[in-house]
Amino acid sequence: MLRLNINQLLAVILFVSSLGYLWMAFQIPVFPIPRPVDSDAFPKMLGLCLLILSVFLFLEKVPANVAEDKTSKEADVADDLPQTGIMNPKMQVLGASVGVLAYAFLIKPLGFLAASIILGVGLAYWFGYRNHVVNFVTVGSIVLSLYLLLSKVLGIYLPQGIIPF
Amino acid sequence: MKVNLSTPLKSLALIGAALTLTAGMAAQSVASDWKPSKAVEFIAPANPGGGWDTLVRTAANVIRTENLAEVNFAAINVPGGGGAVAWAQIARDNRNDHKLFATSPPIILVPLAGTSRFNHTDFTPVARLITDYSIVLVANDSPYQDINDLFAAIGENPRLSVGGGSAAGSMDHISIAGAAAAAGLNAASVNYIAFSGGGEAMTSLLGGHVEAVITGAGEAVAQLQGGDLRALGVSSPERIPGLDVPTYKEQGVDYTFDIWRGVMAPKDIPEEALRYYEDLFARMMETDDWKEATERLGWLDAYQNSEEFGAFLDGQLEQFRAVLGELGLLRN
Amino acid sequence: MEALNNLMYGFSIALDPINLMYVFIGVFAGTIIGMLPGLGPMSALALMIPITFNLNPATGLILMAGVYYGAIFGGSTSSILLNAPGVAGTVATSFDGYPMAQKGMAGKALAIAAYASFVGGTISIIGLMFIAPLLSKVAVSFGPAEYFALMVLGLTAVVSLSDKSLVKGLIAAIVGMMISIVGMDLQTGTERYTFGSIEMLDGINFLVVALGIFALAEVFYMLLRGGKKVQKRNEIGSLKLSMSEVKEMAAPVARSSVLGFFTGVLPGAGATIGSFLGYSMEKRLAKDGDTFGKGNIKGVAAPESANNAACGGSFVPLLTLGVPGSGTTAVLLGALLVMGVTPGPMMIEQRPDVFWGVIASMYVGNIFLLVLNLPLIPYIARILDAPRALLLSLILIFCMVGVYGLNFSSFDLVLLLVFGLIGLVMRLNGFPAAPLILGLILGALMEESMRRALQISGGDWSIFIDKPISLVLLLIALLSLGLPVVKKMIQKSRSA
């Protein structure tokens, strides 16, 4: 059975993306005044390079040390973290990603202070920090001093949101 | 309409308010009673350091030091898309009468080039404040002695490179292409090389990498003093005081180009607010602080009130549309 | 002798108590702003313009210059401790600084950064003092063709920066270049890869990519694999350097300072390119080049001396030509104009007080920075002692605040996440991040200068070899690509 290793899988993804990139490069309009090298030339070249390199990547042998890395990864994880529930490493990364996204959409309605504190405390909890008082005090004071520095000392305008301060 | 007038005093106040309102509408020159109630956001639609930013910060500072307004004018940078990001934000906030922004030819050029959905008609002109003019520079040892030499050379050699400080199809390019067209050349025959700033273009000229450069006269003053560069012509209607450079017109090319800067507000602000700001900027330009600042920065006062500025902008639109059309760059 | 007289005159201005105070305020504020990831010196400088209205021009520029080089100085701290570059110029510092910190040598890395910055800064001031007017000739001799050749030379570093798999390194570099050309094309005004969004018209901010690929990806990586415990905890704050280490770093610091300074002199190159060139040059020259990227002390010293030297160098085009080489120096130029000083060829004659005063104040400022930073290092390094979960959360917050502060755009935060995830995938599969950043820095500049040159020449490619500087740079690029191959062939023939 044909089984792709991770390099080959990525090579396929890159190959397809570079085709998409090239297609877009061919959509770039021609500049009405003739140019020796127009806007589309460089993107076409880049797309072509990526296309060729992705083929090379597909054919590249997986070096032995990647396999080595994998065993050390398992050892690391087993050492540090329980694998179940939210402490599952994948859930951790997912949680952090959702956190960044949430921050992007909440910073304006909630304001800088509230959004930063909620997210900072929440993420630390998600990552497994259980001393709630220390968590809140540390994150709170760091965010507050950042806010004071940026908004009061430097005069940078930050959204105030629900805490009008 | 149902108004409950419980006390004579209140009704008196109401009548008074109504009177001022009508008076304000009837006689526009009279300052209204409208006043900003909180800090006014004064937006520079670009990063710190450029023309818009300098205008905003200088004006905000003069307004503060001369106590022209009770509230603070807060300079805010909203960079992106050559102004388009800020314009989109302001257009969305079309009733906010505590928001102003600095403006200049890109508000007409960028929409014409098709990269902004909003143009000057989506905002209220408040006042034109200052202007600068384009200037054409060559190296001191260049064979071209006046603007006609240069245009003649361009006519013979379409490769002759003219550098400028902004993208193709934007201000500097339009300025030189328009001048070339007025001199009888095809606007597209100017081999315009876009640099990422007037300074960078002049450096290239100093190093002999391009044959000529078009940039703002204010930006060129220091280089002209240095003596390595020479100016062939300036796009002003008359000679600029203190700058011994002949105009295009003097040299037989009937063409002027203003790099004007002014202030605009969102589209649907109340009439009284507009009058207030119009009056404020008119008063600002009378102060000593402002005069001192414009002198330091090499700006030329070019005040127009809201109505004149609006008509001027419509005229600019036609002028730019014609040049862009001839270049084949009109996308909108 | 004349330079010394001028310098004495400069010191008489810089040592004035009021100016001394502003130097201190400037470098102090700069260090702090530099330490915060993302938030660069540009916004801080813009906010100082109103303050400088009321100052005399020399004092105003002394203050603002202090913020600028202070920020570059302080920017290394978050690069080393958190893998989150404080300013664009310190991205390269994280390549070896962060691994050093992970090995428990945070204090040492920070100390090396401080000393290297000091040396780089000082060398650049000496250069400014003696040859600034001469150097402006160097700056103008670089036209589009020369810049193109310089960018090509810079890109050859991809080979040395991609350690295990050249194919993966090249892919990363290509992707970096693809990111760099997003936005409006200056030569034609055409939009490319913006997907119709006006937020993308100006392209993707360098720091959004850098913070995503480095800091965010590192946080994700640690979450996925469990961070390695920092070893040798007791040494974490130790600043000690052995004599042999100092000797080892002396030559790289000197070389990188000079290289960085010249890069800074060229408008449009600057601290970021300078630090990358310094780093890759030392990696190629070092006998232990393969340990670069794993915590080599020279890998911290080289980019740090280069970026500070470049910062000093960038004052050459600013003051003698009136040309800002970067967004930050553009703000400085704007402020000078507002104060009524027009930088340009006549500046040294017209306003010697500003010119020499600022140069002298840089000596003072650099000493302040060293004295201010060294004693703080043991305390700052203890950040790494914080509980892991709390620290990771704080790094995320710092990155997001920094990115948000760039443009106040939620869109940038989404991009940050995208690049964080890309960075994670790259890390897990052995794609090096440095070539991507290099492609990102050089890609658009290379394309732009190439097309500019060709448009000037009317499409004639010989412009790149007709110009002597361009030819030499291209030959060096060719040589640096060919040399490793030749070396390998010699080794093979020997072993055979």
Side-chain angles (χ1 to χ4, degrees):
Chain A
M1 199 189 91
L2 180 80
R3 210 177 120 73
L4 298 178
N5 65 35
I6 183 76
N7 261 359
Q8 290 171 327
L9 182 71
L10 284 171
V12 171
I13 295 173
L14 283 168
F15 187 84
V16 174
S17 323
S18 61
L19 283 179
Y21 188 89
L22 274 171
W23 181 79
M24 283 183 75
F26 278 95
Q27 308 302 308
I28 295 173
V30 175
F31 193 60
I33 307 171
R35 304 269 118 166
V37 180
D38 206 347
S39 308
D40 58 336
F42 201 66
K44 281 177 187 165
M45 190 203 84
L46 289 177
L48 197 65
C49 284
L50 191 61
L51 198 71
I52 295 167
L53 284 169
S54 67
V55 175
F56 275 107
L57 182 65
F58 191 86
L59 300 174
E60 196 179 59
K61 280 179 200 155
V62 179
N65 48 10
V66 169
E68 215 173 89
D69 263 13
K70 275 205 177 116
T71 45
S72 70
K73 164 193 164 188
E74 273 148 30
D76 265 3
V77 171
D79 256 6
D80 264 27
L81 300 164
Q83 297 262 3
T84 50
I86 66 161
M87 294 318 287
N88 177 310
K90 280 184 184 138
M91 288 301 287
Q92 289 279 296
V93 175
L94 187 73
S97 308
V98 171
V100 176
L101 265 188
Y103 189 78
F105 291 105
L106 290 179
I107 186 162
K108 276 197 184 117
L110 286 187
F112 176 85
L113 269 179
S116 307
I117 293 178
I118 292 171
L119 192 76
V121 173
L123 279 177
Y125 177 85
W126 187 261
F127 298 155
Y129 193 67
R130 289 292 177 270
N131 191 337
H132 305 309
V133 179
V134 176
N135 187 351
F136 188 79
V137 170
T138 328
V139 174
S141 55
I142 288 178
V143 169
L144 188 68
S145 38
L146 257 180
Y147 180 75
L148 290 177
L149 175 73
L150 294 179
S151 128
K152 303 295 165 187
V153 181
L154 290 174
I156 295 172
Y157 173 81
L158 291 169
Q160 293 181 325
I162 51 171
I163 306 175
F165 166 64
Chain B
M1 195 171 78
K2 212 176 156 189
V3 183
N4 184 10
L5 301 171
S6 52
T7 60
L9 199 70
K10 220 179 201 171
S11 71
L12 205 68
L14 249 175
I15 293 167
L19 270 177
T20 1
L21 211 75
T22 34
M25 280 173 185
Q28 301 203 333
S29 56
V30 175
S32 72
D33 275 355
W34 187 91
K35 277 190 169 51
S37 53
K38 56 176 187 203
V40 174
E41 291 175 44
F42 198 1
I43 293 170
N47 268 316
W52 280 333
D53 181 65
T54 315
L55 179 70
V56 161
R57 285 178 202 281
T58 310
N61 191 57
V62 171
I63 291 172
R64 192 183 58 234
T65 52
E66 295 272 351
N67 272 324
L68 296 174
E70 280 106 65
V71 298
N72 186 28
F73 277 62
I76 296 173
N77 294 92
V78 183
V85 172
W87 300 330
Q89 273 180 22
I90 297 160
R92 235 178 282 144
D93 201 3
N94 63 339
R95 289 184 187 284
N96 189 339
D97 49 12
H98 285 74
K99 203 172 225 169
L100 299 172
F101 66 101
T103 183
S104 69
I107 187 127
I108 295 172
L109 286 167
V110 174
L112 282 176
T115 49
S116 168
R117 280 196 294 127
F118 303 98
N119 68 9
H120 74 279
T121 58
D122 295 299
F123 306 102
T124 311
V126 174
R128 190 176 80 171
L129 301 181
I130 52 163
T131 193
D132 189 7
Y133 296 97
S134 289
I135 193 165
V136 177
L137 305 169
V138 293
N140 214 0
D141 53 3
S142 160
Y144 316 119
Q145 294 306 321
D146 62 27
I147 198 77
N148 291 310
D149 284 359
L150 183 69
F151 283 139
I154 290 176
E156 279 163 26
N157 173 14
R159 265 207 219 166
L160 195 145
S161 47
V162 182
S166 53
S170 65
M171 211 153 61
D172 287 340
H173 189 193
I174 298 302
S175 172
I176 186 73
L185 295 169
N186 181 341
S189 66
V190 179
N191 184 16
Y192 177 81
I193 318 284
F195 288 87
S196 44
E200 214 178 285
M202 284 190 281
T203 320
S204 254
L205 182 60
L206 284 169
H209 307 287
V210 292
E211 303 261 1
V213 153
I214 177 128
T215 185
E219 257 184 292
V221 170
Q223 292 299 338
L224 288 173
Q225 282 175 349
D228 290 330
L229 299 182
R230 200 147 50 75
L232 296 185
V234 59
S235 71
S236 54
E238 282 149 27
R239 286 201 184 200
I240 300 172
L243 191 71
D244 188 27
V245 179
T247 65
Y248 293 154
K249 275 190 169 172
E250 279 176 57
Q251 305 181 58
V253 179
D254 187 17
Y255 181 76
T256 61
F257 189 91
D258 277 42
I259 308 174
W260 44 269
R261 298 203 186 108
V263 180
M264 281 187 170
K267 190 175 175 69
D268 298 320
I269 63 163
E271 185 72 20
E272 309 87 78
L274 173 59
R275 295 298 154 233
Y276 171 84
Y277 290 124
E278 199 181 12
D279 176 62
L280 175 75
F281 284 104
R283 282 190 290 139
M284 177 193 81
M285 293 183 65
E286 295 302 314
T287 62
D288 291 339
D289 269 18
W290 175 261
K291 288 185 175 141
E292 197 190 309
T294 52
E295 195 173 314
R296 271 188 315 213
L297 291 160
W299 292 343
L300 303 164
D301 275 1
Y303 180 79
Q304 279 183 331
N305 68 21
S306 169
E307 202 179 311
E308 294 160 350
F309 189 29
F312 170 78
L313 289 172
D314 294 338
Q316 290 277 293
L317 178 68
E318 289 321 305
Q319 187 190 342
F320 295 165
R321 192 191 285 279
V323 180
L324 279 170
E326 193 171 334
L327 287 171
L329 298 180
L330 208 55
R331 281 177 213 162
N332 208 340
Chain C
M1 267 302 89
E2 197 199 332
L4 283 183
N5 279 339
N6 285 329
L7 189 67
M8 292 322 284
Y9 169 61
F11 271 117
S12 73
I13 293 160
L15 294 178
D16 171 88
I18 293 191
N19 289 342
L20 219 49
M21 186 185 80
Y22 277 107
V23 176
F24 184 78
I25 295 175
V27 297
F28 184 71
T31 313
I32 292 185
I33 290 158
M35 280 179 189
L36 299 175
L39 201 79
M42 195 158 87
S43 44
L45 287 178
L47 290 153
M48 287 187 179
I49 292 178
I51 304 174
T52 54
F53 268 113
N54 310 317
L55 297 177
N56 113 17
T59 312
L61 188 60
I62 283 173
L63 170 71
M64 297 178 91
V67 174
Y68 182 28
Y69 57 75
I72 304 260
F73 198 108
S76 55
T77 307
S78 45
S79 287
I80 289 169
L81 293 179
L82 311 176
N83 210 23
V87 295
T90 62
V91 172
T93 311
S94 64
F95 296 169
D96 281 275
Y98 184 69
M100 274 185 82
Q102 290 301 297
K103 284 186 199 160
M105 296 186 287
K108 194 164 166 181
L110 289 170
I112 291 172
Y115 289 125
S117 297
F118 177 76
V119 176
T122 308
I123 288 181
S124 77
I125 304 164
I126 295 173
L128 258 178
M129 189 174 82
F130 285 103
I131 46 175
L134 241 159
L135 280 173
S136 63
K137 298 265 186 304
V138 175
V140 302
S141 69
F142 265 69
E146 287 82 358
Y147 274 108
F148 171 73
L150 181 70
M151 300 304 151
V152 171
L153 176 60
L155 269 180
T156 60
V158 168
V159 177
S160 65
L161 290 178
S162 33
D163 34 25
K164 275 176 201 153
S165 154
L166 182 60
V167 173
K168 286 180 177 172
L170 289 173
I171 288 176
I174 294 281
V175 172
M177 287 195 255
M178 285 176 165
I179 300 168
S180 78
I181 62 162
V182 170
M184 202 178 85
D185 172 21
L186 190 70
Q187 295 301 315
T188 60
T190 311
E191 287 176 51
R192 294 189 292 186
Y193 300 96
T194 59
F195 302 95
S197 135
I198 53 166
E199 269 105 348
M200 307 261 276
L201 265 183
D202 279 354
I204 295 171
N205 194 303
F206 174 72
L207 276 166
V208 175
V209 184
L211 284 173
I213 299 266
F214 287 100
L216 212 60
E218 177 65 21
V219 170
F220 287 163
Y221 186 80
M222 285 169 76
L223 288 173
L224 206 56
R225 294 202 160 177
K228 289 181 193 121
K229 287 262 157 50
V230 174
Q231 319 257 303
K232 301 181 203 160
R233 207 156 274 271
N234 50 342
E235 277 180 29
I236 201 169
S238 158
L239 311 180
K240 269 183 213 134
L241 290 175
S242 71
M243 208 49 216
S244 67
E245 284 170 329
V246 174
K247 269 188 192 151
E248 195 186 340
M249 285 186 297
V253 164
R255 276 193 297 258
S256 299
S257 298
V258 175
L259 180 76
F261 179 63
F262 279 99
T263 321
V265 165
L266 302 174
T272 315
I273 294 181
S275 60
F276 264 84
L277 291 181
Y279 181 85
S280 58
M281 175 178 75
E282 289 310 324
K283 179 168 178 170
R284 276 186 254 192
L285 289 177
K287 286 192 195 93
D288 52 352
D290 51 333
T291 64
F292 269 60
K294 297 179 183 115
N296 191 311
I297 50 173
K298 285 176 282 183
V300 178
E304 270 309 297
S305 44
N307 65 24
N308 278 275
C311 174
S314 68
F315 280 83
V316 172
L318 176 71
L319 297 179
T320 64
L321 292 170
V323 175
S326 66
T328 313
T329 40
V331 180
L332 281 175
L333 177 69
L336 279 169
L337 291 174
V338 167
M339 290 185 281
V341 177
T342 316
M346 306 300 284
M347 167 135 176
I348 301 180
E349 283 160 46
Q350 284 174 349
R351 293 308 296 255
D353 59 325
V354 179
F355 188 85
W356 294 109
V358 168
I359 289 181
S361 84
M362 288 175 168
Y363 279 104
V364 182
N366 260 300
I367 293 168
F368 275 159
L369 279 170
L370 199 62
V371 175
L372 202 68
N373 277 276
L374 283 179
L376 286 179
I377 287 175
Y379 303 100
I380 294 177
R382 298 250 166 253
I383 289 176
L384 295 182
D385 275 343
R388 180 175 160 281
L390 198 56
L391 183 63
L392 291 183
S393 164
L394 285 173
I395 296 176
L396 282 178
I397 293 286
F398 269 113
C399 290
M400 289 188 288
V401 171
V403 164
Y404 188 74
L406 290 172
N407 278 329
F408 309 106
S409 147
S410 294
F411 181 75
D412 280 352
L413 287 169
V414 178
L415 279 182
L416 174 75
L417 176 63
V418 171
F419 286 112
L421 293 172
I422 292 178
L424 179 66
V425 172
M426 287 174 63
R427 258 206 89 160
L428 289 174
N429 297 294
F431 285 86
L436 187 145
I437 298 292
L438 193 69
L440 178 65
I441 301 170
L442 300 179
L445 282 171
M446 183 172 92
E447 188 210 6
E448 222 169 70
S449 43
M450 177 187 84
R451 290 170 58 196
R452 221 176 259 152
L454 284 174
Q455 213 192 315
I456 291 172
S457 74
D460 187 353
W461 289 79
S462 64
I463 186 172
F464 297 115
I465 47 172
D466 285 348
K467 301 221 167 196
I469 299 178
S470 158
L471 179 66
V472 168
L473 289 173
L474 287 174
L475 283 178
I476 299 176
L478 206 65
L479 209 68
S480 69
L481 282 182
L483 215 57
V485 181
V486 176
K487 243 190 209 168
K488 255 185 202 158
M489 275 163 41
I490 294 172
Q491 274 169 0
K492 261 189 191 163
S493 67
R494 262 190 205 158
S495 60

